[in-house]
Amino acid sequence: MKRQTLLLIAIVLLGLNLRPVLAAIGPLLDRIQLDTGLDHVGASLLTSLPVVIMGLGALAAGLLRKRLGERNGILFGVLLIALACLVRGLLPDSSTLIITALLAGAGIAFVQALLPGLIKSRFPTDSGRLIGFYSCAIMGGAAFGAALTPWLAQSIGWSWALASWALPALLAAAYWRRAAPHEALAQADNVAHLDVWRSPRAWLLMSFFGIGTAGYTLVLAWLPPYYTSLGWSAQYSGLLLAALTLCEVVAGLLASSLLPRYPDRRVLLAVVLLALLAGLLGLMLAPLQLVVPICMLLGVGIGALFPLSLVVAQDHLDDPRQTGDLLAFVQGGGYLIAATAPLLAGLLRQYTDNLRLSWMAMAAATLVLMLMASRFTPDSGQFRTRPLRVA
């Protein structure tokens, strides 16, 4: 098998392991809270804390790349994910869940901070679509986590159901160790440093990614508990999240495949943002009567928006190292923004027992995203309306 094909398979396997540790929590949240005594705010931390660590890890991508290299850093990250899952089976209490959330977040951060730059360097002519497909693998992993974990919990208990996701993480680590290019460790010293912190454009891209990803983290954490509060079982609420995530995967793949036809990304962004807004309105107004169209609309909106946000950012630059720096900044700050969504929803549920207010807030944020997306005007096929400063 060709080296490039092995690397593509490894990238997909890595992506599949970046979300089960988060998506598996939602469908079991009521049961976990009952057994551990976690309140709604504490439960929200099981999603928010990993996302915070993901953001901090992305901001430290340059340091990680320098100290560990891409190959070893990614391997270490996926092993941390496996360890976090395993510990949840051995010590199923509230403190362990919080600690392993931090540990898993660190593992995810290592992989997400280093892998996009590697994709850009190894596949320079098709990096946009490959980043899109990698994003779809991430969402596919969330679908597996949401669908399978509640059913496993019926047989082996929720703690070992969460721990079972250590197995695919170990498989991905073993495969990555075989397929990862050793030359990914080599770094060019003559590349100009990208000063993202003083670039208004970089801040715009980061905010856009963060607010969009907030919709993903909000749904990931609180959609299953929302439907269990409406009378659904944990198994069926998990299947709903899995179905929604599968819609996200299809939407992400479709959006990624359409990228060459739409150099003006605003066309695709308008469609997916309208779908996201319509899905959120459905959750607020008729969650039970419109559950199927809600699932499809949210899936299209969230699923296509995630890869499009990354592609819009990477469109700005050609150099792999600078692209890695920009994507690290965009994801780092973006994930810090996104981490607030589950936490704020937990606070609202703690004091109002009403998640509809959270869907309403996200709908308002989607209107802000529409305004931001209107600024992504193309310039010779790339978004360079205001060039990023290079120091």
Side-chain angles (χ1 to χ4, degrees):
M1 190 179 294
K2 292 183 179 180
R3 192 74 180 181
Q4 295 288 77
T5 304
L6 288 173
L7 181 56
L8 283 173
I9 295 172
I11 290 169
V12 170
L13 287 175
L14 289 170
L16 287 171
N17 280 279
L18 297 183
R19 291 297 180 272
V21 69
L22 302 181
I25 293 290
L28 301 174
L29 192 57
D30 291 339
R31 187 170 169 185
I32 291 172
Q33 287 183 266
L34 183 64
D35 289 348
T36 63
L38 276 174
D39 61 13
H40 294 315
V41 175
S44 70
L45 293 177
L46 299 181
T47 301
S48 290
L49 285 178
V51 178
V52 169
I53 301 301
M54 287 156 56
L56 295 176
L59 291 174
L63 181 61
L64 291 174
R65 190 184 297 116
K66 181 179 179 181
R67 294 292 177 87
L68 296 175
E70 289 165 334
R71 185 177 191 271
N72 290 338
I74 291 170
L75 176 62
F76 185 56
V78 73
L79 287 175
L80 283 178
I81 295 171
L83 178 61
C85 293
L86 182 59
V87 171
R88 286 180 168 180
L90 297 172
L91 299 169
D93 56 53
S94 58
S95 299
T96 299
L97 287 172
I98 297 295
I99 293 170
T100 54
L102 292 168
L103 191 64
I108 296 168
F110 276 46
V111 179
Q112 289 186 165
L114 298 173
L115 197 54
L118 183 143
I119 293 173
K120 183 79 172 182
S121 64
R122 301 296 297 181
F123 304 95
T125 61
D126 204 22
S127 61
R129 282 199 298 176
L130 288 177
I131 287 175
F133 294 149
Y134 154 70
S135 302
C136 292
I138 292 176
M139 292 181 286
F144 287 123
L148 298 179
T149 310
W151 299 94
L152 286 172
Q154 285 187 314
S155 302
I156 60 177
W158 63 263
S159 61
W160 284 109
L162 296 179
S164 66
W165 293 105
L167 295 176
L170 290 172
L171 174 64
Y175 197 91
W176 175 254
R177 193 167 181 268
R178 176 191 175 194
H182 288 277
E183 56 267 32
L185 288 170
Q187 304 296 334
D189 295 326
N190 58 349
V191 178
H193 172 64
L194 187 65
D195 188 6
V196 291
W197 293 93
R198 292 193 295 172
S199 169
R201 189 66 167 180
W203 283 91
L204 174 65
L205 291 166
M206 181 263 284
S207 300
F208 185 80
F209 177 82
I211 297 173
T213 307
Y216 174 75
T217 58
L218 179 64
V219 168
L220 187 69
W222 289 110
L223 185 70
Y226 182 55
Y227 275 89
T228 55
S229 72
L230 296 175
W232 285 35
S233 68
Q235 288 75 26
Y236 283 106
S237 66
L239 287 176
L240 174 63
L241 181 58
L244 188 152
T245 308
L246 287 176
C247 291
E248 292 174 7
V249 173
V250 173
L253 289 171
L254 181 59
S256 299
S257 65
L258 291 175
L259 287 173
R261 298 186 184 183
Y262 294 95
D264 188 345
R265 313 300 193 199
R266 293 177 300 170
V267 178
L268 296 174
L269 287 171
V271 173
V272 302
L273 289 172
L274 285 172
L276 176 59
L277 180 61
L280 290 167
L281 292 175
L283 279 179
M284 292 162 50
L285 302 175
L288 295 176
Q289 298 87 338
L290 299 177
V291 62
V292 173
I294 286 171
C295 179
M296 296 176 65
L297 288 167
L298 289 177
V300 169
I302 295 172
L305 184 58
F306 184 71
L308 281 175
S309 299
L310 293 177
V311 170
V312 164
Q314 72 96 34
D315 276 341
H316 284 71
L317 296 161
D318 297 320
D319 180 79
R321 289 287 305 281
Q322 291 183 344
T323 300
D325 290 341
L326 175 60
L327 288 178
F329 177 78
V330 167
Q331 291 184 88
Y335 281 124
L336 292 178
I337 294 172
T340 64
L343 180 59
L344 291 175
L347 286 169
L348 286 173
R349 195 183 189 201
Q350 181 87 359
Y351 294 106
T352 68
D353 200 29
N354 188 352
L355 281 169
R356 283 187 174 87
L357 294 175
S358 301
W359 311 132
M360 185 183 303
M362 191 62 225
T366 304
L367 296 175
V368 175
L369 287 175
M370 291 178 178
L371 293 176
M372 296 171 73
S374 67
R375 297 187 57 187
F376 298 141
T377 55
D379 179 16
S380 300
Q382 292 186 325
F383 298 100
R384 298 176 190 262
T385 56
R386 184 163 186 169
L388 294 166
R389 294 188 181 95
V390 177

